[in-house]
Amino acid sequence: MLKLGIPKGSLENATIELFKKSGWKISVSSRSYFPMVDDEEIRCTLARAQEMSRFVEMGRLDAGLTGKDWVLENGSDIVVVQDLVYSKTSASPARWVLVVTEDSPIRRLEDLKGKKIFTELVNFTRKYFAKRKINVDVEFSWGATEGKVIEGLADAIVEVTETGSTLRANGLRIVEELMQTNTQLIANHEAYRDPWKKEKIEQISLLLQGALRAEGMVGLKMNVPANDLKSVMEILPSITAPTIANLFQSDWFSVETIISEKIVRELIPQLLKRGAVGIIEYPLNKVI
Amino acid sequence: MLKLGIPKGSLENATIELFKKSGWKISVSSRSYFPMVDDEEIRCTLARAQEMSRFVEMGRLDAGLTGKDWVLENGSDIVVVQDLVYSKTSASPARWVLVVTEDSPIRRLEDLKGKKIFTELVNFTRKYFAKRKINVDVEFSWGATEGKVIEGLADAIVEVTETGSTLRANGLRIVEELMQTNTQLIANHEAYRDPWKKEKIEQISLLLQGALRAEGMVGLKMNVPANDLKSVMEILPSITAPTIANLFQSDWFSVETIISEKIVRELIPQLLKRGAVGIIEYPLNKVI
Amino acid sequence: MLKLGIPKGSLENATIELFKKSGWKISVSSRSYFPMVDDEEIRCTLARAQEMSRFVEMGRLDAGLTGKDWVLENGSDIVVVQDLVYSKTSASPARWVLVVTEDSPIRRLEDLKGKKIFTELVNFTRKYFAKRKINVDVEFSWGATEGKVIEGLADAIVEVTETGSTLRANGLRIVEELMQTNTQLIANHEAYRDPWKKEKIEQISLLLQGALRAEGMVGLKMNVPANDLKSVMEILPSITAPTIANLFQSDWFSVETIISEKIVRELIPQLLKRGAVGIIEYPLNKVI
Amino acid sequence: MLKLGIPKGSLENATIELFKKSGWKISVSSRSYFPMVDDEEIRCTLARAQEMSRFVEMGRLDAGLTGKDWVLENGSDIVVVQDLVYSKTSASPARWVLVVTEDSPIRRLEDLKGKKIFTELVNFTRKYFAKRKINVDVEFSWGATEGKVIEGLADAIVEVTETGSTLRANGLRIVEELMQTNTQLIANHEAYRDPWKKEKIEQISLLLQGALRAEGMVGLKMNVPANDLKSVMEILPSITAPTIANLFQSDWFSVETIISEKIVRELIPQLLKRGAVGIIEYPLNKVI
Amino acid sequence: MLKLGIPKGSLENATIELFKKSGWKISVSSRSYFPMVDDEEIRCTLARAQEMSRFVEMGRLDAGLTGKDWVLENGSDIVVVQDLVYSKTSASPARWVLVVTEDSPIRRLEDLKGKKIFTELVNFTRKYFAKRKINVDVEFSWGATEGKVIEGLADAIVEVTETGSTLRANGLRIVEELMQTNTQLIANHEAYRDPWKKEKIEQISLLLQGALRAEGMVGLKMNVPANDLKSVMEILPSITAPTIANLFQSDWFSVETIISEKIVRELIPQLLKRGAVGIIEYPLNKVI
Amino acid sequence: MLKLGIPKGSLENATIELFKKSGWKISVSSRSYFPMVDDEEIRCTLARAQEMSRFVEMGRLDAGLTGKDWVLENGSDIVVVQDLVYSKTSASPARWVLVVTEDSPIRRLEDLKGKKIFTELVNFTRKYFAKRKINVDVEFSWGATEGKVIEGLADAIVEVTETGSTLRANGLRIVEELMQTNTQLIANHEAYRDPWKKEKIEQISLLLQGALRAEGMVGLKMNVPANDLKSVMEILPSITAPTIANLFQSDWFSVETIISEKIVRELIPQLLKRGAVGIIEYPLNKVI
């Protein structure tokens, strides 16, 4: 049986949703610490993203999903099986940034010499400054980190943000980006040497990727007269070859392809111009 | 860059959902007044439906979505690019109606002569009565309008409703319907003369319509033996020609078509009787 | 017009969702006892699952959805049109079980002789013990039944559960399963003899089943080179014959089939090995 | 130790609040079925008001608080120690009433002959009609009773109400009041014969009454010149003799009394006219 | 009967609480527009603070509570019976202020010439600028006013604030305070000439003031040895003469007085130094 | 000005409530990090209890309220001005306990040799075991500590509890109590040497204690006939001498005293037996 760690808290719902699209139903009960999963070969455990890599490293879990940031913070010696770019809300990557108040005299990293920095990411931050030979005082912050620099209790903070708009709205300024992070599927070294566990982890990895890719892809289907087929095919992206079939007793073709959802809004006006009609777009669960 | 107004409040979620189906991800943060959108050519701004047409008219916004009712109320000189029939809850069109209590002696518009009407739609209501040469006293109401006529503070109100069932439940009676309303995509005259902006607005219009149309449509696919093909085709609605293909090494056909979701429940029992098997229905994102 | 009962409470949302997938939009207003439905031939009424079969039996409703458990409890003389296996949360069937505390001396049904049992299912439980000639005192419980055996107010309870995990978490033990239950579409005998009503009820039954079946099924589409077609077809489940078509000007085939969602996660790795590429999975609304 | 039942649900918070004013802190945890109480001689158990008298009668509880209505419905043979008039919201007594729709032809009890009545109070209602020799069909209703008569599923219902305003708002009419009810402290016969238990129950009864009485009473204190003392004393209610003391080195008196809060708003303007000054009102916890 | 208007919305709970302390229980039901009050001589009606003075002026209400700001905005000709200083949250008076963004070039009122101001208080604002002969464009704002100036849709806004901290937190700057406001008990001129109505309104006014005054006052009681009595009396504020009594069979005195709660925290340390012991403070409901 | 730290989170409301009873109104806005307080000599700052002593030690705050546990954990060199026993819910003192699962073989501290302990109180726990020369591996836990031992991720945890009932409900067992904790008012050494700041801190301390003591105390007043006075006085607790006064023109006495609320429920039945009548109990704000 594979002991798999599911991140608790802010990533929890997004992760469970992703597994659902991938083919596993995980259900979390408020009364149990072990989420149920409809696969007898997997045993799920909820753990905080901050702690996941430690549990995987020490072998209490065979594999788990967590953030690259916390893998680095913990300095865990584990296998990174797959980067999985998804997050709770936006499409922007999460970034750890060094932040001060708008009116702070601190403009560059060097200005922090001798100053007090609060962050949840203490080890990473210390290493970051040590490498640059800047002597700073990094203190661990128990959440609500932003407040500390606003109140003047800290000179700077290192905090995670996606777009930075909340920081700006609170009158804060980003001095430097320290790291971009994303979710990772990680595994314990020993577990990953076990052939059965490795295959199971890779099955999960394959289907999670298939579901993630489907999030950005759609199916597009249209009818095209024979004369316009070439012109239409020219602008259809060719990730995989489109499926083409004759319409019953006519010289029209049915054309069907899988494309990135992002370009649909640009593509459709052009397809219309080139003679395609009856264009429909349909959703996908997985693209492998 | 196109400055686009998104209606805040009751239409907000439905609008964002519609844009998502159309191909744009808009995300609203509780800490920022500017929703993010994944299109560098658009800058979204939240504005109340009541005020949208004023901002579009004065050019602070190039285009926006709002209700026809508020365009008329504001008397704004703007371009109506497209009517978009969707609402927060039901499929019934929203109507502004003149409402009195069940036991009121007011039966016809003429009975309102000299009476006090409260409404959020003051200008429209005044014009409506002026055109009919009925002298009434129309006062602006700060929401909770129903309460005023129930409490006897107003003789009548002009209020918006979809099905009228809430009004009836509160012991109120509709005297007359003054206007039907729906959402509209509107644009500033000057912006709409700019070719780039016009094309951008029309792209949005095209895809919003495609997504709206898809809401009422589904894909239907079935297998039909050669002998029954003609009989099945007779009852298949022909919005666009169905796609027909031979099944591999057999004399069966695969038939696929796009139809209104509303008729599926009537159509399926008939298709079964005429020999179709393996009928499946699948969802659509867009129908252009 | 068909008078149809919709179960109120825990099954309400799941039922309305199922009808939506089946092609009927039912909307419940907090201000009206009659849900609206977009079918002029149906008049919906909300009623508790516990009471539904009584109203159907006495003819105040023509048909309704309720649990098999409450049909048996009420001993109602009605037509069971169709078993519909769905529930509010899980895929496990709901079971009525006899439950005691973990440290209770009661191990078998016989140990209950002379004991006090609390349950909402009084008649069924009494008959169950009477048939086994065990003399017990069955009392009606007003909800919160679990609490009574934990507090020592009851010696045992008969309660409904899906997975039993909540019972275990509360330190309770299942002694015996008395019945499995599921949702049923039931009809009044007289109404079911009326040809028009019967056809309407069967239309509903057909489409509810189609929507339910679709919940566990997905469409799978892939491209396969001619050489690998046989090998791929060998492992594709054959519920209905797959649709196969030539790709335009190539010796590749497009293969499309409907399969159970449960096996997708096992099937995809094998399909890849056998030469399929561009595998996509898409959702279904109905499978008839 | 005294086994005391606390009513769960709608009366729960009001009861716990009353015990707090009486001198006992009861705290209910969502994780335990046994509320904690800061008195080692009492063990609290939560039970539904509907079932309380059955548990007290069979001796699983020594005493409990419940409604007079449910004592009568269950026909329980217990000791009524004390009537306690308090409720969840209003000061009006709760009444069980027979209710029909406004337009129902039913005007008097006799009109119900052969009709279907739904109620949660089945036994009481059956006896009520049997005593009046009116043959009706009384069925048990699983909550949401009002809905049944509105929907036409029942001809009449017997339901509890305080002011009747909700019934009227739903278009219902009261035909007759069947019973007034209030909370009661009840005891098991055997427990009440045990001298220690009896004294404990009476201590609880005494202090609950003291706290209830205080809810309607306030302390009133004022300064009065010697000349006006008689005039002021004439209008001061004399539940208990007021406390009067000389003010230090003056011919003024301090007058203090306990009066019903209801008359304060009428009394104060009069006291001012008769010469009292520096009037203050202060709250009370208990009045014995 | 006196028709009394209770302000709906942000002041609603504070007003009902104040009436409760004054001796009237008002209860608002979500199903009725008429709050119930336990005084047969009063009929309460909920109305928005913005509209109250209009209803009082036109005689649909005899009296009501509302804000001075809305009385001025509406220019209503009514009797101001009493200023009542209370608010939903803080002790700071509410102020209407002219607000711009921090980086706006607008520093003085004069800088607004030709600019666009949005506010809910249109009339008052227009008069304010007209009196100063500054030509501005004042537009009505439908709530969320702050957002407009942040988004750049307005050049300035006139908004209400208590402490200004929210404005600062959103990066806004106050240019000028236009008005301070507070709650007022107002009456219709004609109603106030009716002797019975006038007396009733004044009874309400007297008791509301008594309850408001009590909010800032407490009772203080202490024991003082004969020798220290003079010294203690010197620092006791003398709103009303303190009540002094001999302790039983001793040369100690009991001293009791009513003082402002605000000075208690300063007074107690001094009383201890001057020999007072057993100091207690108790709450008051009313101080007349 | 005194910079005072208020604990954020679980103690926040209880602390603000306590300050209110003590005479200071603190109001927290969701938009500002600085709570307002109605004392110009104090500037409040919200800080987490875990971090408070660090900010006080480094002088960013002059004084603050926090838990003794976190003072010890941080090893902060500060002045403990006053222990203040209050908590968010119960009257039981909070305890940090070493906890294992019920079926764990760990029975004594010694059994933990070489095991993994998770806790939020890392430093304290390490010192505790070091002093007993037991070699354990203590790791920092990010909240949800209980889950780790239940999931088997930790061998034991050190967690805070009041009654232990939640632990038991989750199937956990307490091995040893490591520390009892309570709230403390702490001060910075240098600030405490400043005479003005010291006096201000002590004023706060005095009034917080006065308010806390009042929570468990009530005023009791009764009328007693001269003959029974001695008998009544015998059982009245004598914290401070009761106040006794003659009732006007009678041989009855008014007796008033301050007693612990806990004994009222026992005392009142006895006072009645000894002849006291008209007993009232009233609440207190402060007892100094």
Side-chain angles (χ1 to χ4, degrees), chain E residues 144-201:
Chain E
T145 310
E146 276 180 29
K148 298 193 182 72
V149 72
I150 294 173
E151 294 171 312
L153 298 172
D155 298 308
I157 57 171
V158 173
E159 182 57 310
V160 71
T161 185
E162 294 190 354
T163 64
S165 60
T166 305
L167 296 174
R168 277 191 300 277
N170 281 330
L172 300 178
R173 176 163 49 80
I174 295 176
V175 175
E176 177 148 334
E177 179 182 313
L178 279 65
M179 165 183 33
Q180 290 206 3
T181 185
N182 54 253
T183 304
Q184 293 183 325
L185 173 62
I186 61 173
N188 174 276
H189 279 297
E190 199 177 317
Y192 207 61
R193 279 191 292 270
D194 174 320
W196 181 85
K197 286 193 178 175
K198 190 178 182 206
E199 189 176 350
K200 190 77 198 172
I201 292 168

Side-chain angles (χ1 to χ4, degrees), chain A residues 27-125:
Chain A
S27 59
V28 174
S29 151
S30 62
R31 309 198 199 171
S32 164
Y33 282 94
F34 298 105
M36 283 185 302
V37 58
D38 62 343
D39 184 336
E40 299 198 343
E41 298 175 356
I42 300 176
R43 182 167 180 278
C44 285
T45 300
L46 282 178
R48 298 194 57 139
Q50 292 93 331
E51 300 168 319
M52 185 72 76
S53 72
R54 287 198 263 151
F55 295 131
V56 170
E57 184 182 20
M58 62 168 93
R60 304 242 174 168
L61 298 172
D62 294 322
L65 285 96
T66 183
K68 186 175 121 185
D69 44 3
W70 293 107
V71 174
L72 292 175
E73 170 68 11
N74 292 332
S76 299
D77 181 18
I78 45 78
V79 185
V80 175
V81 179
Q82 182 67 38
D83 279 282
L84 297 164
V85 182
Y86 72 99
S87 77
K88 46 199 153 125
T89 50
S90 83
S92 312
R95 303 171 295 144
W96 285 88
V97 288
L98 189 117
V99 172
V100 297
T101 53
E102 254 168 29
D103 56 1
S104 162
I106 296 166
R107 293 276 150 192
R108 301 168 311 145
L109 287 189
E110 288 69 22
D111 300 341
L112 281 155
K113 192 174 293 179
K115 301 292 184 186
K116 265 197 187 345
I117 302 174
F118 277 72
T119 183
E120 297 188 34
L121 218 60
V122 171
N123 295 327
F124 176 85
T125 304

Side-chain angles (χ1 to χ4, degrees), chain E residues 141-275:
Chain E
S141 164
W142 290 78
T145 310
E146 276 180 29
K148 298 193 182 72
V149 72
I150 294 173
E151 294 171 312
L153 298 172
D155 298 308
I157 57 171
V158 173
E159 182 57 310
V160 71
T161 185
E162 294 190 354
T163 64
S165 60
T166 305
L167 296 174
R168 277 191 300 277
N170 281 330
L172 300 178
R173 176 163 49 80
I174 295 176
V175 175
E176 177 148 334
E177 179 182 313
L178 279 65
M179 165 183 33
Q180 290 206 3
T181 185
N182 54 253
T183 304
Q184 293 183 325
L185 173 62
I186 61 173
N188 174 276
H189 279 297
E190 199 177 317
Y192 207 61
R193 279 191 292 270
D194 174 320
W196 181 85
K197 286 193 178 175
K198 190 178 182 206
E199 189 176 350
K200 190 77 198 172
I201 292 168
E202 287 182 340
Q203 178 200 8
I204 292 169
S205 177
L206 173 70
L207 287 154
L208 289 178
Q209 288 175 73
L212 269 181
R213 207 174 298 128
E215 281 183 11
M217 306 292 264
V218 289
L220 207 66
K221 219 182 264 195
M222 69 207 78
N223 293 337
V224 185
N227 285 345
D228 296 325
L229 186 59
K230 203 181 147 205
S231 159
V232 162
M233 296 304 290
E234 275 169 13
I235 60 163
L236 269 195
S238 54
I239 299 175
T240 60
T243 311
I244 304 181
N246 267 87
L247 288 199
F248 185 56
Q249 297 173 329
S250 80
D251 57 351
W252 284 65
F253 288 90
S254 158
V255 177
E256 182 164 7
T257 193
I258 304 305
I259 63 168
S260 163
E261 192 184 4
K262 283 192 183 168
I263 61 166
V264 168
R265 67 191 192 206
E266 308 301 338
L267 198 60
I268 283 179
Q270 298 173 45
L271 290 171
L272 284 175
K273 282 182 195 157
R274 286 169 185 246

Side-chain angles (χ1 to χ4, degrees), chain B residues 36-80:
Chain B
M36 285 186 300
V37 58
D38 62 342
D39 184 337
E40 299 198 343
E41 298 175 356
I42 301 176
R43 181 165 180 279
C44 286
T45 300
L46 280 179
R48 298 195 57 141
Q50 292 94 330
E51 301 169 318
M52 184 72 74
S53 72
R54 288 198 263 151
F55 294 131
V56 171
E57 185 182 19
M58 62 170 91
R60 304 244 172 166
L61 297 173
D62 295 321
L65 285 95
T66 183
K68 186 176 122 187
D69 42 5
W70 293 105
V71 174
L72 291 175
E73 170 66 13
N74 293 331
S76 300
D77 181 17
I78 46 77
V79 185
V80 176

Side-chain angles (χ1 to χ4, degrees), chain B residues 166 221 265 279-281 283, chain C residues 23 31 203 256 285-286 288:
Chain B
T166 304
K221 217 181 267 195
R265 67 191 194 207
I279 305 174
I280 64 159
E281 180 198 310
Chain C
R31 308 199 198 170
Q203 178 201 7
E256 182 166 6
N285 287 345
K286 293 193 188 72
I288 305 286

Side-chain angles (χ1 to χ4, degrees), chain A residues 194-206:
Chain A
D194 174 322
W196 181 86
K197 288 193 176 175
K198 190 178 181 203
E199 189 175 349
K200 191 76 199 171
I201 292 168
E202 287 181 342
Q203 179 201 7
I204 293 170
S205 177
L206 173 69

